[in-house]
Amino acid sequence: MSRVEIMTGNQAAALGARLARVQVVAAYPITPQTSLTETLAQLIESGEMQAEYIRVDGEHSALTVCIAASTIGARAFTATSANGLLYMHEQIHWAAGSRLPIVMCCVNRGVGAPWTIFNDQQDSISQRDTGWIQLYCRDNQEIIDTVIQAFRIAETIYCPVMVCYDGFVLSHTLMPVEIPEEEKVDAFLPPYRPHTILDDTNPRTINPVMFADLRANAEGILCDGYMEIRYKLEYALKGALKTIQDVSDEYALVFGRDHGGLIWEYKTSDAEVILTGMGSIATEATIAADILREKGIPAGVVGIRAYRPFPTEALIRALKRARSIHCLEKAVSYGFAGPVYTDLRAALYGSECDAQMQDYITSLGGRDIQPSTIAEVVLNRIKSDAFDGRFREPIWINCRTE
Amino acid sequence: MICEVIWHGRGGQGVVLAAQMLAEAAYRHGFRGVTATPTFGPERRGAPVIASNRISPEPIRTFAQIRKADLVVVLDESLFHAVDILGRLKDTGVLIINTNDAARYVLPESIHLFTVDAVGIAQRHHLMREGAPLVNVPMLGAVARASELVTIEDLAQVVKRKIGDDHLSQNLAALEEAYSGTTMRKHG
């Protein structure tokens, strides 16, 4: 029988990793990720989890250890936040380029300078173009379920997955979480089979320097050059759209919980005003939608769960009836706009969805946002007569801007 | 309806654990939506610390800061000099104070004031840590008396799960004594 326990997001992530039978953990503590790695260390030390916890000198080494472990066929897991994630940056590219199915939790935190330990999503967003799948969780139940799903997705298509959730907001808030049954998880997630078997009787070089062009091997067969290998990574990420959805659907059948796969919707069937965002801000937006409905505005929420690959088709389907779309974002592409707005505007351009769009930057460095405030700014925006199809500057919510 | 709770204590008093135990007990009681949240950020021993709960029949969908709570629990009454405690309590909210001098508190009549001498109870049951009385479990007993969020039985089950055998019987006795020793202010 599955059971419900009241736990933090970090505990949920750690239990997810244990249920996924992770074999190697290498991580370096950083707020707000710390209690996740502490929980894993305890589980491994007590023997409840059969894995090796490899202590490292920093995040770059943590991911390097995971790369090595994954290469030789071990299921590897790590977790970090903010500047720790940035310190990994070189190896984040390397893991994806090597097509290693590593799963990493990014416990989202604002990036220094100036220092903040509090939540926004600038850290994972800044790793957007590395070739990792990025999934954003809206509550602690979704965290435990997504860590398990992430390994299944990663090992199906040989791409690493970043499971992102909001630091403190979820990582340190306790809420009820149903713990999946071990036997069901084992059946759902078969053992990891590496794409390359290392064999000392048949030694090989992995990731040698590539030449620009295709090159014939000893048998005269033309082998991929750098560009083909990079195209295959892009092709795999695009294919991941189906894998993420399929894995989510199968998970829902087996465990009875459906987190939506690529996106999720709240009261959208008749909605003209759609709020969108990733992670806990989208959960918050569901209450804002309720408040707007009380005021007679047919509002709904489309939560984006998969940010990379970006679910263009799913979003067009979900948004085609929308008259206005309001992106709530905890990150900025400095010099332009928020990342969700940027991508969504590009994805919807020329599609059957011709909704007006407005971007909102919110909650950077943990700044509090109330659902009533979200409802208020959206209401002010849709009442504004200057709402047209042109690009407009993002609105910074709860921020002194003059 | 969501019931929002704020716990005021000092770092080291077990405020976060109290909020956690209330969430678990309320879930046992049948509330499907429970959250417990520590003050986000670094904590220091002795410094004012806040933890909070949301408790609802439906799953909780907000993680925003609680502006004005329905129920406020004060573990250390010296905090009235350091923190704007009443500023974050609804006008008709419930306030539970750990004090042995209820008469000291002159508050608007709309506030439902409950008091309990949790320090005395902790001392009688030898619930001490580093020379300071541990008042978090007694204050949970007071919450059971002052609200309909949990029963004393729900709390006893959670205390049994959370607290090691060494201090279990003292904690259970303190919980019980605080429950019966919590008094509501009478209006003249």
Side-chain angles (χ1 to χ4, degrees), chain A residues 4 6 117-118 138 168-170 172-176 266 280 283-284 286-287 290 368-373, chain B residues 2 16 20 23-24 27 32-38 40-42 54 60-67 161-162:
Chain A
V4 173
I6 315 293
I117 58 167
F118 299 109
R138 82 195 93 145
F168 290 112
V169 179
L170 298 182
H172 285 63
T173 296
L174 294 108
M175 61 187 85
Y266 178 78
S280 65
T283 314
E284 211 79 56
T286 61
I287 297 182
D290 291 345
D368 188 48
I369 178 93
Q370 301 276 332
S372 56
T373 308
Chain B
I2 300 182
V16 174
Q20 189 177 339
E24 292 198 13
Y27 187 82
R32 293 301 93 181
V34 299
T35 56
T37 307
F40 293 154
R54 282 192 171 94
I60 303 295
R61 291 183 282 138
T62 179
F63 313 105
Q65 281 174 25
I66 294 170
R67 284 179 174 169
R161 257 171 58 97
K162 288 276 171 194

Side-chain angles (χ1 to χ4, degrees), chain A residues 336-338 341 345 356-360 381 384-395:
Chain A
F336 188 56
Y341 174 83
R345 206 173 149 89
Q356 313 291 324
M357 287 183 71
Q358 178 63 50
D359 196 14
Y360 305 86
R381 190 65 194 88
S384 150
D385 55 6
F387 212 146
D388 57 33
R390 278 175 295 181
F391 173 80
R392 300 191 79 86
E393 291 300 323
I395 295 168

Side-chain angles (χ1 to χ4, degrees), chain A residues 197-242:
Chain A
I197 305 294
L198 289 191
D199 178 0
D200 60 2
T201 63
N202 180 21
R204 61 171 71 199
T205 304
I206 294 174
N207 289 323
V209 177
M210 303 297 292
F211 290 94
D213 296 326
L214 300 163
R215 237 166 76 119
N217 68 7
E219 284 90 46
I221 297 165
L222 269 186
C223 295
D224 290 342
Y226 180 87
M227 201 160 164
E228 283 73 28
I229 291 173
R230 284 280 144 179
Y231 174 76
K232 284 180 174 173
L233 177 59
E234 165 64 0
Y235 185 80
L237 261 278
K238 288 280 170 63
L241 287 167
K242 182 172 187 320

Side-chain angles (χ1 to χ4, degrees), chain A residues 6 18 20 50 59 67 70 94 100 126 134 154 161 173 176 189 192 194 205 208 213 254 270 356 365 371 376 383 400:
Chain A
I6 315 293
R18 182 180 71 76
Q50 300 296 315
E59 289 85 357
I67 287 169
S70 186
W94 199 267
L100 294 170
S126 76
Q134 286 195 357
V161 179
T173 296
L189 184 62
Y192 163 43
T205 304
D213 296 326
V254 175
D270 65 336
Q356 313 291 324
E376 196 182 307
K383 282 185 176 168
R400 190 167 64 189

Side-chain angles (χ1 to χ4, degrees), chain A residues 131-135 153-154 157 159-163 237 240 244 306 308-309:
Chain A
W132 283 58
I133 291 167
Q134 286 195 357
L135 305 175
I153 296 162
I157 59 163
C159 283
V161 179
M162 202 178 290
V163 176
L237 261 278
I244 293 165
R308 280 296 178 272

